[in-house]
Amino acid sequence: VRSIVTDPRLSLVHIPPDKPIGIPSPTQKQIEAWDASAETDASVLSAYVAYPKSLGIPFDFILVDGRARCFCLRQGFELLRPGGVIVLHDAQRTQYHEALRSLGTPVFLEPWQQGQIAFVRKPD
């Protein structure tokens, strides 16, 4: 990825998990179990979720598409300026709906084939 991020306005930052999978050659089932744990256990990726806050700047737009999405949604919404928008990729997954609705009234873009988008605007 680093070789294709060439725009000087962009930076690539890798934040390793606080609790890595810890298995030398994990099976697909073990990887999926670790991925699921990152969505329910805040300690698995706490540094990853906290990184944007460490920048000390507000945001107009945040895209959530990765791991720990429920935690990232809540943290990201706090970092938005009034009027800012947070967007969630794969919003069709019901495990994210409670976190989305806790932010406000999400708008789900439809129709969708794969990877539905939903967004929530932070009130002014």
Side-chain angles (χ1 to χ4, degrees):
V1 172
R2 191 170 302 281
S3 66
I4 61 173
V5 178
T6 58
D7 188 320
R9 298 169 295 172
L10 302 175
S11 60
L12 178 64
V13 178
H14 175 256
I15 308 296
D18 297 280
K19 292 184 177 178
I21 196 165
I23 301 169
S25 297
T27 65
Q28 184 62 34
K29 188 173 182 178
Q30 290 168 320
I31 292 168
E32 289 170 5
W34 184 88
D35 287 348
S37 74
E39 296 299 333
T40 58
D41 181 353
S43 66
V44 173
L45 288 167
S46 60
Y48 171 84
V49 173
Y51 178 75
K53 187 174 185 175
S54 74
L55 300 173
I57 58 173
F59 294 86
D60 295 316
F61 175 85
I62 295 174
L63 171 64
V64 176
D65 182 17
R67 301 288 178 249
R69 292 181 197 201
C70 291
F71 300 113
C72 290
L73 281 167
R74 291 182 181 109
Q75 177 68 49
F77 199 73
E78 289 181 24
L79 300 175
L80 280 178
R81 289 187 174 121
V85 175
I86 192 161
V87 174
L88 175 65
H89 183 253
D90 291 326
Q92 77 280 0
R93 297 178 185 168
T94 57
Q95 68 262 37
Y96 307 139
H97 290 184
E98 181 181 333
L100 264 175
R101 289 190 175 97
S102 74
L103 307 177
T105 304
V107 175
F108 290 80
L109 300 184
E110 295 183 20
W112 62 278
Q113 297 295 319
Q114 181 178 358
Q116 184 180 36
I117 298 292
F119 63 91
V120 178
R121 183 177 176 272
K122 189 169 191 174
D124 289 324

